[in-house]
Amino acid sequence: IVLAPSHVRALRPIRSLRSLSIGSSKRLTAEVARELVALPSLRQLTVHGALLPASFLAELKAGQLEALELVACPNLDVPEFAAIAKIKSLQSLAVMMAGKGRSTIEGKRYELFELGEDAFKAFRALPKLVALLAARRLSHDSCHDRRPEAIAGP
């Protein structure tokens, strides 16, 4: 789907909406993120297969997200992880790849990212983080590691 700000705005009357999953084949905009943080009870967001510019992720810091799951979002790099590091309310973060490491969005093929030092630096910057899933492939052996030392790093 193409998620427009008006689509998210239409969800505002659902005062009890705590969790939202978005499957998208498009780029999510900063305007969509501003509407997401305006949802009064939203605490968990899952995004599957979308381009997430740093501007989208930066807007999420204004909300009260406790859990963020990013699945097969191919463009995550230094600016995007820096924006994630500023979402200080996050308690649970999942960054996952799927398939063979490629994704097609808006008719263009993208290689899925590798988690490098910048990603783990961002993870360490999240003061409330208690659950982290960072996986190259989704499989039965992927699991949340809830131990603080698992994300403390050097």
Side-chain angles (χ1 to χ4, degrees):
I1 68 168
V2 177
L3 191 67
S6 61
H7 297 142
V8 180
R9 197 173 309 115
L11 300 174
R12 278 194 201 165
I14 308 172
R15 309 286 300 166
S16 60
L17 184 64
R18 290 186 51 83
S19 179
L20 181 63
S21 295
I22 301 169
S24 178
S25 61
K26 300 287 183 183
R27 179 181 314 268
L28 292 178
T29 65
E31 292 80 15
V32 168
R34 281 193 288 277
E35 292 297 334
L36 288 169
V37 300
L39 295 173
S41 298
L42 187 66
R43 299 296 180 268
Q44 179 176 338
L45 177 63
T46 300
V47 179
H48 188 280
L51 291 175
L52 300 177
S55 59
F56 171 87
L57 294 162
E59 291 292 334
L60 296 179
K61 73 180 178 189
Q64 298 179 12
L65 281 182
E66 296 172 358
L68 178 63
E69 296 180 0
L70 307 175
V71 182
C73 297
N75 65 304
L76 300 180
D77 204 350
V78 176
E80 290 76 24
F81 282 113
I84 290 169
K86 294 178 181 172
I87 308 172
K88 301 300 184 184
S89 58
L90 284 181
Q91 297 174 25
S92 175
L93 176 63
V95 182
M96 300 170 276
M97 295 183 56
K100 296 183 179 181
R102 291 188 199 100
S103 182
T104 301
I105 298 175
E106 297 178 337
K108 184 176 176 185
R109 301 273 297 165
Y110 290 90
E111 293 296 318
L112 294 172
F113 60 91
E114 293 287 335
L115 291 175
E117 181 58 33
D118 292 309
F120 287 89
K121 182 178 176 184
F123 302 157
R124 290 191 303 266
L126 298 168
K128 296 182 179 182
L129 193 66
V130 296
L132 174 64
L133 171 58
R136 170 123 174 99
R137 292 187 182 270
L138 302 179
S139 66
H140 65 279
D141 59 349
S142 296
C143 62
H144 287 340
D145 191 341
R146 298 179 184 275
R147 298 172 298 136
E149 62 271 18
I151 60 170

